[in-house]
Amino acid sequence: MSDPTMDSERTQAPASERSGFNRRKFFGYVIGGTTLIAAADIALAEPAKAAIPSPPQIPEIYDLNDLLTTATLPTANLITVTINEDGTASFALPRAEVGQGITTSTAMLIAEELDIPVEKVKVTLADARPELLFNQLTGGSNTTISTFTPIRVAAAVARNALLDAAAILLGDEVNRLITKAGAVLAPNGRSVSYGELAKHAAAPKTKKVEVELKDVSKFTVIGTEQKRIDARDAVTGRKVFTMDLKVDDALPTMLCRPPTLNGKPVKLLNEAEITSMPGVTDVAMVDTGVAVRARTFGQCIDAIRAMKVEWRDGPVAGESDEDIVRKLRQAEVPLPKISELGLDKLKLGPINLNLVKSIDADFLFYFRSNSALDTNAAIADVRSDRAEIWASLKSPIVAQQTIAQELGLPQNKVKVHVVQGGGSFGRKLFFDAALEAAKVSKAMGKPVKLMWHRADDARVGRMHPMATSRVRALYLGTQVLGFVQNHTSIETDFRHGLGELITAHVADLPTGLGNFGFAETIFALTQEIPYNFGVVNQTLVETDDRFNTGSMRNIYSPDVRTAAELVVDQLAAAMGLDPLTFRRKFLKDKRVLACLNKVAEVGKWGRPLPKGMAQGIAIHKEYKSASACLVEIDCRPETVGRDIPNAVTGPRVTKAVYAIDIGLAINPTGLRAQMLSGINDGIALALTSSMHLRDGHFLEASWDNYFYTRQWNTPPEVNIIVMPSDAKTPGGAGEAGVAASMAAVACAYARATGKVPDYFPINHRDPLAFRPKPFVPPVPASPTNGLKLTY
Amino acid sequence: MPEQTFILNGKPVTVDVEDDVRVLWVLRDVLGVTGPKYGCGINVCKACTCHINGRAFNPCSVRVGDLKPNDRVTTIEGLADTADGELHPMQQAWLDNDVSQCGYCQPGQIMAAVALVKKVRREGREITEDDLDHIRNICRCGTYSRIREAIEQGARNM
Ligand code: FES
Ligand code: FES
């Protein structure tokens, strides 16, 4: 799209201004064209101002979302709402929908300002738009926060242009007209639909106009319960994911991958045999393995299983969990001693350090997979002078740049289409499949539809890094004097754009952050201890970059929060206080406290439970949201030992109550869905799901190896409460349900068993609950006995 | 190449493909019927669940050569036609409860739910919590509670 040239300023106030409400004015554009196209600069959001971050912790003043929002400012680029002649409005969202419901909430924002039914708003995902720089990154639960204003401005511009056109058509004054349900109505009862107006409202030349947004108190769509706009497609099988796209000649393609993590192929030893297999069209070696293209994916699997390949070992060959734990331990920095904490800064008067007691705790968190159900997949059509890519991508611009570089093409010769994803959990921040598909397509000289096998997606895909979290809490009588947390982690890979974004905006960060690395910056921008605990200090050290890691949903928070909340429970016990009473006494944030009180009331905190069952309660604050979770867990032997074939049963969370204050909730239905999702993630992280590294490779290769929460683990009773809020802006939701849930489950487990776990998930060191699948060949054969298993 | 014939969503189809190609790939890659999803290829995730002669099966684990010409395969695309109304009552229950998140697992979840209700009816009983606990279909978005509610509603209307 070309830059708008302005030819006239519109100063006329919208009709609605007469209502006397104080509304916010913004400039937008009517774009020259044959139908009505209204636009707004996507950089319209206002970031928080940075301040010196002491004594409050940094996220209280300037958090990751402020950085993401700030990052949108320097780009002056437009998002557009188009009014079509069929009466619909269309909008290409420069973000990735992966299940989090942003197409639905975006449709609601447009419906609100445009006065059009939600189902008449068509939201698609924009192709990579390099001019948007950092503003096409879906991450950090930032979509709604950063697009809330610009999308509404564009819709409001469209509404005004429709009113102007209607005034001429209906022969009435603009300020006597109203808009309703996709039509403009005159006092005499005449009306004209947006569809009829679309052409008339089109502007011959682009012009800049001023609009005023609806006041929060006038919202009739935002804040109401709205079902997903793609629900019908999903339940009829019509929703299209990457693997469902039909692109000419893009035949099924898969890779035979090395037996050790990140090993390299040296030579395919039986190429002639493979190429003569049924359905196979092409074979090619790329840096990650040997690719095969065939008529069906089943024939790709058969070919992979028949391949004889010479491999070079990967960088962790021979190593196992214990070796990595040892490396982590070596990287840990000692926790400060009492005398080093600077307790004198608290101005408590003289303290007899000999009377200060300390609680030291040390937790280990194993590797976890963020594999989605929709495995890594991409379609690539690479020609000598151009390339076209389709994939679910949360950082499509970085993907485009990297692929262009890899192919030796100018960036504008690589077209990148963003497809809806079947889940992400941080996985689709990376473009591993898209890059690999591009390489394979180039090597074969043909279009490919590349799919990762489940076994590859689990074993070689991105992961939450292994980490330790050590806490030292100091208390004297009933006062907590200090709380120190040192988190030590295998390196988290942020090379998907978030890293570059930080580099580009170092100057915008609060004092002191500029010298940090990516990971430390993100840690500092997201972590916070929302209690009055005297001297508070949280730090991160990362080590070892040999693993395929990434920012799994909620990045550091679930582990950091779980470690902290377990120590909070220990502090409470040391002071003879119940976990709820203790938290009420020390919480410093009113919104968190309100959430805590809510879950305690709804979840009936303290109700009598049989021996072996217990409640747990925990809080979290992040992404401008506050939350609390109460769970009940059943650790009685008859429950733990219940038998379900090929399953990890174990302790059962029988009830979960979650309260979330996200500020303005655009769509409470969608918000509750995100929290339910977070609860199930938290349960898995605490109890059942992890990756085992043995002898240079991860063992888990299927959903019956990697035990994400299943129906037999999910709580039969769930209650999610969206807290009332008078905030005028939304907070982030995509990740806000994980941390408090994991922490509450861990606390409940500790109370039910009387034993505080020192590693997570709690079953990681149990005998393996499955027989590991072979590594050569790297993918299992599909069974043939399906007709014997019908029901 | 051998000819394979079966009945797909009410209509006979014939395709030229090797006997041992699994039905999932015949549906998706050869016939372009993409409602059944791939999630594992080894009969674990259940994302590909469809019906054969009215019972749930997982096409990733059945060779197309093992289908008989009169075998009736129903995918999510054909489910609505097996009941009155524009949608099957189970699909409607899914909409009423806004079950889907990313939606990737949901065709399989719905097909499994319909078969489960029919199975317990054959056993002369209604769905229990224990039946719901035993559903193997994974939902990595964690929509489990809504799935349970929708199945109960769908069953009432089936
Ligand atoms: S793909 Fe058939 S069960 Fe997973
Ligand atoms: S809705 Fe995403 S996997 Fe179930």
Side-chain angles (χ1 to χ4, degrees), chain A residues 206-233:
Chain A
T206 297
K207 57 183 179 180
K208 187 175 182 180
V209 294
E210 189 180 31
V211 289
E212 204 163 6
L213 297 179
K214 262 192 200 172
D215 187 80
V216 175
S217 64
K218 293 279 165 148
F219 285 166
T220 57
V221 180
I222 293 173
T224 61
E225 306 285 348
Q226 177 67 46
K227 291 177 177 156
R228 290 186 64 102
I229 58 174
D230 56 2
R232 205 180 177 87
D233 284 350

PDB file of all heavy atoms in Angstrom, chain A residues 206-233:
ATOM      1  N   THR A 206      -6.815   9.757  -1.191  1.00  0.00           N
ATOM      2  CA  THR A 206      -6.632   9.501   0.239  1.00  0.00           C
ATOM      3  C   THR A 206      -6.690  10.810   1.028  1.00  0.00           C
ATOM      4  O   THR A 206      -6.133  11.812   0.611  1.00  0.00           O
ATOM      5  CB  THR A 206      -5.275   8.812   0.466  1.00  0.00           C
ATOM      6  OG1 THR A 206      -5.322   7.556  -0.194  1.00  0.00           O
ATOM      7  CG2 THR A 206      -5.007   8.601   1.945  1.00  0.00           C
ATOM      8  N   LYS A 207      -7.431  10.786   2.121  1.00  0.00           N
ATOM      9  CA  LYS A 207      -7.471  11.979   2.962  1.00  0.00           C
ATOM     10  C   LYS A 207      -7.378  11.610   4.430  1.00  0.00           C
ATOM     11  O   LYS A 207      -7.792  10.526   4.841  1.00  0.00           O
ATOM     12  CB  LYS A 207      -8.743  12.773   2.683  1.00  0.00           C
ATOM     13  CG  LYS A 207     -10.011  11.974   2.894  1.00  0.00           C
ATOM     14  CD  LYS A 207     -11.245  12.794   2.538  1.00  0.00           C
ATOM     15  CE  LYS A 207     -12.488  11.932   2.740  1.00  0.00           C
ATOM     16  NZ  LYS A 207     -13.718  12.635   2.415  1.00  0.00           N
ATOM     17  N   LYS A 208      -6.825  12.564   5.175  1.00  0.00           N
ATOM     18  CA  LYS A 208      -6.664  12.352   6.607  1.00  0.00           C
ATOM     19  C   LYS A 208      -7.898  12.895   7.314  1.00  0.00           C
ATOM     20  O   LYS A 208      -8.387  13.970   6.972  1.00  0.00           O
ATOM     21  CB  LYS A 208      -5.417  13.096   7.087  1.00  0.00           C
ATOM     22  CG  LYS A 208      -5.045  12.827   8.535  1.00  0.00           C
ATOM     23  CD  LYS A 208      -3.717  13.520   8.851  1.00  0.00           C
ATOM     24  CE  LYS A 208      -3.303  13.233  10.278  1.00  0.00           C
ATOM     25  NZ  LYS A 208      -2.028  13.893  10.604  1.00  0.00           N
ATOM     26  N   VAL A 209      -8.418  12.148   8.262  1.00  0.00           N
ATOM     27  CA  VAL A 209      -9.637  12.585   8.960  1.00  0.00           C
ATOM     28  C   VAL A 209      -9.474  12.360  10.463  1.00  0.00           C
ATOM     29  O   VAL A 209      -8.686  11.527  10.897  1.00  0.00           O
ATOM     30  CB  VAL A 209     -10.875  11.798   8.469  1.00  0.00           C
ATOM     31  CG1 VAL A 209     -11.169  12.111   7.027  1.00  0.00           C
ATOM     32  CG2 VAL A 209     -10.691  10.304   8.681  1.00  0.00           C
ATOM     33  N   GLU A 210     -10.239  13.116  11.211  1.00  0.00           N
ATOM     34  CA  GLU A 210     -10.197  12.926  12.652  1.00  0.00           C
ATOM     35  C   GLU A 210     -11.452  12.191  13.096  1.00  0.00           C
ATOM     36  O   GLU A 210     -12.550  12.441  12.590  1.00  0.00           O
ATOM     37  CB  GLU A 210     -10.113  14.271  13.368  1.00  0.00           C
ATOM     38  CG  GLU A 210      -9.854  14.102  14.850  1.00  0.00           C
ATOM     39  CD  GLU A 210      -9.773  15.438  15.587  1.00  0.00           C
ATOM     40  OE1 GLU A 210     -10.452  16.385  15.162  1.00  0.00           O
ATOM     41  OE2 GLU A 210      -9.031  15.509  16.577  1.00  0.00           O
ATOM     42  N   VAL A 211     -11.295  11.289  14.019  1.00  0.00           N
ATOM     43  CA  VAL A 211     -12.465  10.581  14.556  1.00  0.00           C
ATOM     44  C   VAL A 211     -12.381  10.563  16.070  1.00  0.00           C
ATOM     45  O   VAL A 211     -11.318  10.761  16.657  1.00  0.00           O
ATOM     46  CB  VAL A 211     -12.554   9.120  14.075  1.00  0.00           C
ATOM     47  CG1 VAL A 211     -12.922   9.060  12.629  1.00  0.00           C
ATOM     48  CG2 VAL A 211     -11.289   8.355  14.389  1.00  0.00           C
ATOM     49  N   GLU A 212     -13.505  10.282  16.640  1.00  0.00           N
ATOM     50  CA  GLU A 212     -13.545  10.148  18.080  1.00  0.00           C
ATOM     51  C   GLU A 212     -14.104   8.767  18.385  1.00  0.00           C
ATOM     52  O   GLU A 212     -15.136   8.375  17.848  1.00  0.00           O
ATOM     53  CB  GLU A 212     -14.456  11.229  18.646  1.00  0.00           C
ATOM     54  CG  GLU A 212     -14.128  11.537  20.062  1.00  0.00           C
ATOM     55  CD  GLU A 212     -14.722  12.867  20.476  1.00  0.00           C
ATOM     56  OE1 GLU A 212     -15.473  13.454  19.670  1.00  0.00           O
ATOM     57  OE2 GLU A 212     -14.433  13.288  21.591  1.00  0.00           O
ATOM     58  N   LEU A 213     -13.418   8.044  19.231  1.00  0.00           N
ATOM     59  CA  LEU A 213     -13.846   6.681  19.531  1.00  0.00           C
ATOM     60  C   LEU A 213     -14.976   6.680  20.547  1.00  0.00           C
ATOM     61  O   LEU A 213     -15.113   7.592  21.348  1.00  0.00           O
ATOM     62  CB  LEU A 213     -12.670   5.869  20.078  1.00  0.00           C
ATOM     63  CG  LEU A 213     -11.504   5.686  19.119  1.00  0.00           C
ATOM     64  CD1 LEU A 213     -10.395   4.892  19.795  1.00  0.00           C
ATOM     65  CD2 LEU A 213     -11.959   4.987  17.851  1.00  0.00           C
ATOM     66  N   LYS A 214     -15.749   5.615  20.502  1.00  0.00           N
ATOM     67  CA  LYS A 214     -16.824   5.429  21.485  1.00  0.00           C
ATOM     68  C   LYS A 214     -16.254   5.393  22.895  1.00  0.00           C
ATOM     69  O   LYS A 214     -15.174   4.828  23.111  1.00  0.00           O
ATOM     70  CB  LYS A 214     -17.488   4.072  21.245  1.00  0.00           C
ATOM     71  CG  LYS A 214     -18.744   4.122  20.445  1.00  0.00           C
ATOM     72  CD  LYS A 214     -19.438   2.772  20.534  1.00  0.00           C
ATOM     73  CE  LYS A 214     -20.410   2.600  19.386  1.00  0.00           C
ATOM     74  NZ  LYS A 214     -20.951   1.249  19.324  1.00  0.00           N
ATOM     75  N   ASP A 215     -16.987   5.943  23.815  1.00  0.00           N
ATOM     76  CA  ASP A 215     -16.578   5.830  25.206  1.00  0.00           C
ATOM     77  C   ASP A 215     -16.874   4.409  25.695  1.00  0.00           C
ATOM     78  O   ASP A 215     -17.847   3.788  25.265  1.00  0.00           O
ATOM     79  CB  ASP A 215     -17.342   6.844  26.053  1.00  0.00           C
ATOM     80  CG  ASP A 215     -16.811   6.871  27.465  1.00  0.00           C
ATOM     81  OD1 ASP A 215     -15.772   7.514  27.669  1.00  0.00           O
ATOM     82  OD2 ASP A 215     -17.412   6.221  28.343  1.00  0.00           O
ATOM     83  N   VAL A 216     -16.034   3.957  26.612  1.00  0.00           N
ATOM     84  CA  VAL A 216     -16.200   2.607  27.155  1.00  0.00           C
ATOM     85  C   VAL A 216     -17.633   2.359  27.639  1.00  0.00           C
ATOM     86  O   VAL A 216     -18.195   1.278  27.459  1.00  0.00           O
ATOM     87  CB  VAL A 216     -15.207   2.396  28.332  1.00  0.00           C
ATOM     88  CG1 VAL A 216     -15.431   1.049  28.994  1.00  0.00           C
ATOM     89  CG2 VAL A 216     -13.778   2.502  27.831  1.00  0.00           C
ATOM     90  N   SER A 217     -18.225   3.382  28.226  1.00  0.00           N
ATOM     91  CA  SER A 217     -19.569   3.199  28.798  1.00  0.00           C
ATOM     92  C   SER A 217     -20.624   2.940  27.731  1.00  0.00           C
ATOM     93  O   SER A 217     -21.728   2.514  28.028  1.00  0.00           O
ATOM     94  CB  SER A 217     -19.946   4.434  29.615  1.00  0.00           C
ATOM     95  OG  SER A 217     -20.016   5.544  28.747  1.00  0.00           O
ATOM     96  N   LYS A 218     -20.292   3.221  26.468  1.00  0.00           N
ATOM     97  CA  LYS A 218     -21.265   3.024  25.379  1.00  0.00           C
ATOM     98  C   LYS A 218     -21.061   1.701  24.645  1.00  0.00           C
ATOM     99  O   LYS A 218     -21.730   1.439  23.646  1.00  0.00           O
ATOM    100  CB  LYS A 218     -21.122   4.171  24.366  1.00  0.00           C
ATOM    101  CG  LYS A 218     -21.532   5.519  24.919  1.00  0.00           C
ATOM    102  CD  LYS A 218     -23.043   5.662  24.853  1.00  0.00           C
ATOM    103  CE  LYS A 218     -23.479   6.799  25.719  1.00  0.00           C
ATOM    104  NZ  LYS A 218     -24.627   7.530  25.318  1.00  0.00           N
ATOM    105  N   PHE A 219     -20.111   0.925  25.094  1.00  0.00           N
ATOM    106  CA  PHE A 219     -19.844  -0.325  24.379  1.00  0.00           C
ATOM    107  C   PHE A 219     -21.054  -1.255  24.441  1.00  0.00           C
ATOM    108  O   PHE A 219     -21.659  -1.441  25.495  1.00  0.00           O
ATOM    109  CB  PHE A 219     -18.648  -1.064  24.994  1.00  0.00           C
ATOM    110  CG  PHE A 219     -17.311  -0.457  24.653  1.00  0.00           C
ATOM    111  CD1 PHE A 219     -16.176  -0.844  25.360  1.00  0.00           C
ATOM    112  CD2 PHE A 219     -17.174   0.473  23.639  1.00  0.00           C
ATOM    113  CE1 PHE A 219     -14.931  -0.300  25.057  1.00  0.00           C
ATOM    114  CE2 PHE A 219     -15.928   1.026  23.339  1.00  0.00           C
ATOM    115  CZ  PHE A 219     -14.808   0.628  24.052  1.00  0.00           C
ATOM    116  N   THR A 220     -21.401  -1.812  23.293  1.00  0.00           N
ATOM    117  CA  THR A 220     -22.469  -2.814  23.276  1.00  0.00           C
ATOM    118  C   THR A 220     -21.958  -4.163  22.767  1.00  0.00           C
ATOM    119  O   THR A 220     -22.643  -5.169  22.867  1.00  0.00           O
ATOM    120  CB  THR A 220     -23.627  -2.369  22.355  1.00  0.00           C
ATOM    121  OG1 THR A 220     -23.094  -2.147  21.043  1.00  0.00           O
ATOM    122  CG2 THR A 220     -24.273  -1.103  22.866  1.00  0.00           C
ATOM    123  N   VAL A 221     -20.767  -4.180  22.190  1.00  0.00           N
ATOM    124  CA  VAL A 221     -20.198  -5.440  21.691  1.00  0.00           C
ATOM    125  C   VAL A 221     -19.003  -5.837  22.557  1.00  0.00           C
ATOM    126  O   VAL A 221     -18.938  -6.949  23.068  1.00  0.00           O
ATOM    127  CB  VAL A 221     -19.747  -5.301  20.218  1.00  0.00           C
ATOM    128  CG1 VAL A 221     -19.170  -6.625  19.721  1.00  0.00           C
ATOM    129  CG2 VAL A 221     -20.900  -4.848  19.341  1.00  0.00           C
ATOM    130  N   ILE A 222     -18.084  -4.895  22.723  1.00  0.00           N
ATOM    131  CA  ILE A 222     -16.906  -5.169  23.556  1.00  0.00           C
ATOM    132  C   ILE A 222     -17.380  -5.451  24.982  1.00  0.00           C
ATOM    133  O   ILE A 222     -18.189  -4.703  25.534  1.00  0.00           O
ATOM    134  CB  ILE A 222     -15.938  -3.960  23.528  1.00  0.00           C
ATOM    135  CG1 ILE A 222     -15.348  -3.818  22.127  1.00  0.00           C
ATOM    136  CG2 ILE A 222     -14.839  -4.111  24.580  1.00  0.00           C
ATOM    137  CD1 ILE A 222     -14.504  -2.577  21.920  1.00  0.00           C
ATOM    138  N   GLY A 223     -16.912  -6.540  25.533  1.00  0.00           N
ATOM    139  CA  GLY A 223     -17.311  -6.894  26.890  1.00  0.00           C
ATOM    140  C   GLY A 223     -18.491  -7.846  26.941  1.00  0.00           C
ATOM    141  O   GLY A 223     -18.874  -8.295  28.012  1.00  0.00           O
ATOM    142  N   THR A 224     -19.064  -8.171  25.769  1.00  0.00           N
ATOM    143  CA  THR A 224     -20.172  -9.135  25.768  1.00  0.00           C
ATOM    144  C   THR A 224     -19.636 -10.526  25.404  1.00  0.00           C
ATOM    145  O   THR A 224     -18.540 -10.664  24.858  1.00  0.00           O
ATOM    146  CB  THR A 224     -21.266  -8.746  24.748  1.00  0.00           C
ATOM    147  OG1 THR A 224     -20.680  -8.740  23.439  1.00  0.00           O
ATOM    148  CG2 THR A 224     -21.834  -7.374  25.059  1.00  0.00           C
ATOM    149  N   GLU A 225     -20.430 -11.546  25.717  1.00  0.00           N
ATOM    150  CA  GLU A 225     -20.021 -12.915  25.435  1.00  0.00           C
ATOM    151  C   GLU A 225     -20.152 -13.164  23.930  1.00  0.00           C
ATOM    152  O   GLU A 225     -21.222 -12.973  23.354  1.00  0.00           O
ATOM    153  CB  GLU A 225     -20.921 -13.914  26.181  1.00  0.00           C
ATOM    154  CG  GLU A 225     -21.022 -13.668  27.683  1.00  0.00           C
ATOM    155  CD  GLU A 225     -19.788 -14.095  28.460  1.00  0.00           C
ATOM    156  OE1 GLU A 225     -18.937 -14.793  27.877  1.00  0.00           O
ATOM    157  OE2 GLU A 225     -19.677 -13.726  29.642  1.00  0.00           O
ATOM    158  N   GLN A 226     -19.068 -13.564  23.315  1.00  0.00           N
ATOM    159  CA  GLN A 226     -19.082 -13.775  21.871  1.00  0.00           C
ATOM    160  C   GLN A 226     -18.447 -15.113  21.548  1.00  0.00           C
ATOM    161  O   GLN A 226     -17.329 -15.391  21.946  1.00  0.00           O
ATOM    162  CB  GLN A 226     -18.298 -12.637  21.193  1.00  0.00           C
ATOM    163  CG  GLN A 226     -18.166 -12.775  19.694  1.00  0.00           C
ATOM    164  CD  GLN A 226     -19.503 -12.644  18.988  1.00  0.00           C
ATOM    165  OE1 GLN A 226     -20.288 -11.743  19.291  1.00  0.00           O
ATOM    166  NE2 GLN A 226     -19.787 -13.544  18.060  1.00  0.00           N
ATOM    167  N   LYS A 227     -19.184 -15.942  20.817  1.00  0.00           N
ATOM    168  CA  LYS A 227     -18.599 -17.217  20.413  1.00  0.00           C
ATOM    169  C   LYS A 227     -17.613 -16.993  19.279  1.00  0.00           C
ATOM    170  O   LYS A 227     -17.706 -16.008  18.562  1.00  0.00           O
ATOM    171  CB  LYS A 227     -19.704 -18.182  20.001  1.00  0.00           C
ATOM    172  CG  LYS A 227     -20.513 -18.595  21.220  1.00  0.00           C
ATOM    173  CD  LYS A 227     -21.670 -19.486  20.868  1.00  0.00           C
ATOM    174  CE  LYS A 227     -22.354 -19.881  22.174  1.00  0.00           C
ATOM    175  NZ  LYS A 227     -23.744 -20.253  21.979  1.00  0.00           N
ATOM    176  N   ARG A 228     -16.704 -17.946  19.111  1.00  0.00           N
ATOM    177  CA  ARG A 228     -15.657 -17.788  18.098  1.00  0.00           C
ATOM    178  C   ARG A 228     -16.259 -17.649  16.695  1.00  0.00           C
ATOM    179  O   ARG A 228     -17.169 -18.389  16.331  1.00  0.00           O
ATOM    180  CB  ARG A 228     -14.719 -18.989  18.102  1.00  0.00           C
ATOM    181  CG  ARG A 228     -13.830 -19.095  19.304  1.00  0.00           C
ATOM    182  CD  ARG A 228     -12.867 -20.250  19.103  1.00  0.00           C
ATOM    183  NE  ARG A 228     -11.991 -19.972  17.980  1.00  0.00           N
ATOM    184  CZ  ARG A 228     -10.728 -19.556  18.103  1.00  0.00           C
ATOM    185  NH1 ARG A 228     -10.199 -19.389  19.290  1.00  0.00           N
ATOM    186  NH2 ARG A 228     -10.011 -19.317  17.036  1.00  0.00           N
ATOM    187  N   ILE A 229     -15.688 -16.752  15.904  1.00  0.00           N
ATOM    188  CA  ILE A 229     -16.236 -16.554  14.564  1.00  0.00           C
ATOM    189  C   ILE A 229     -15.913 -17.726  13.631  1.00  0.00           C
ATOM    190  O   ILE A 229     -16.544 -17.885  12.598  1.00  0.00           O
ATOM    191  CB  ILE A 229     -15.769 -15.218  13.920  1.00  0.00           C
ATOM    192  CG1 ILE A 229     -14.241 -15.153  13.842  1.00  0.00           C
ATOM    193  CG2 ILE A 229     -16.314 -14.030  14.682  1.00  0.00           C
ATOM    194  CD1 ILE A 229     -13.745 -13.924  13.078  1.00  0.00           C
ATOM    195  N   ASP A 230     -14.920 -18.549  14.029  1.00  0.00           N
ATOM    196  CA  ASP A 230     -14.570 -19.688  13.161  1.00  0.00           C
ATOM    197  C   ASP A 230     -15.124 -21.015  13.690  1.00  0.00           C
ATOM    198  O   ASP A 230     -14.744 -22.084  13.215  1.00  0.00           O
ATOM    199  CB  ASP A 230     -13.047 -19.787  12.977  1.00  0.00           C
ATOM    200  CG  ASP A 230     -12.314 -19.879  14.305  1.00  0.00           C
ATOM    201  OD1 ASP A 230     -12.976 -19.899  15.372  1.00  0.00           O
ATOM    202  OD2 ASP A 230     -11.069 -19.939  14.292  1.00  0.00           O
ATOM    203  N   ALA A 231     -16.044 -20.932  14.668  1.00  0.00           N
ATOM    204  CA  ALA A 231     -16.516 -22.164  15.327  1.00  0.00           C
ATOM    205  C   ALA A 231     -17.206 -23.113  14.343  1.00  0.00           C
ATOM    206  O   ALA A 231     -16.991 -24.320  14.363  1.00  0.00           O
ATOM    207  CB  ALA A 231     -17.453 -21.814  16.473  1.00  0.00           C
ATOM    208  N   ARG A 232     -18.023 -22.547  13.472  1.00  0.00           N
ATOM    209  CA  ARG A 232     -18.764 -23.405  12.550  1.00  0.00           C
ATOM    210  C   ARG A 232     -17.826 -24.114  11.578  1.00  0.00           C
ATOM    211  O   ARG A 232     -17.988 -25.298  11.286  1.00  0.00           O
ATOM    212  CB  ARG A 232     -19.811 -22.564  11.796  1.00  0.00           C
ATOM    213  CG  ARG A 232     -20.979 -23.378  11.312  1.00  0.00           C
ATOM    214  CD  ARG A 232     -21.984 -22.514  10.579  1.00  0.00           C
ATOM    215  NE  ARG A 232     -23.041 -23.351  10.065  1.00  0.00           N
ATOM    216  CZ  ARG A 232     -24.121 -23.694  10.742  1.00  0.00           C
ATOM    217  NH1 ARG A 232     -24.296 -23.255  11.977  1.00  0.00           N
ATOM    218  NH2 ARG A 232     -25.037 -24.468  10.207  1.00  0.00           N
ATOM    219  N   ASP A 233     -16.853 -23.383  11.096  1.00  0.00           N
ATOM    220  CA  ASP A 233     -15.857 -24.021  10.222  1.00  0.00           C
ATOM    221  C   ASP A 233     -15.133 -25.140  10.961  1.00  0.00           C
ATOM    222  O   ASP A 233     -14.847 -26.197  10.392  1.00  0.00           O
ATOM    223  CB  ASP A 233     -14.831 -22.988   9.734  1.00  0.00           C
ATOM    224  CG  ASP A 233     -15.393 -22.098   8.639  1.00  0.00           C
ATOM    225  OD1 ASP A 233     -16.500 -22.401   8.143  1.00  0.00           O
ATOM    226  OD2 ASP A 233     -14.741 -21.097   8.292  1.00  0.00           O
TER     227      ASP A 233
END
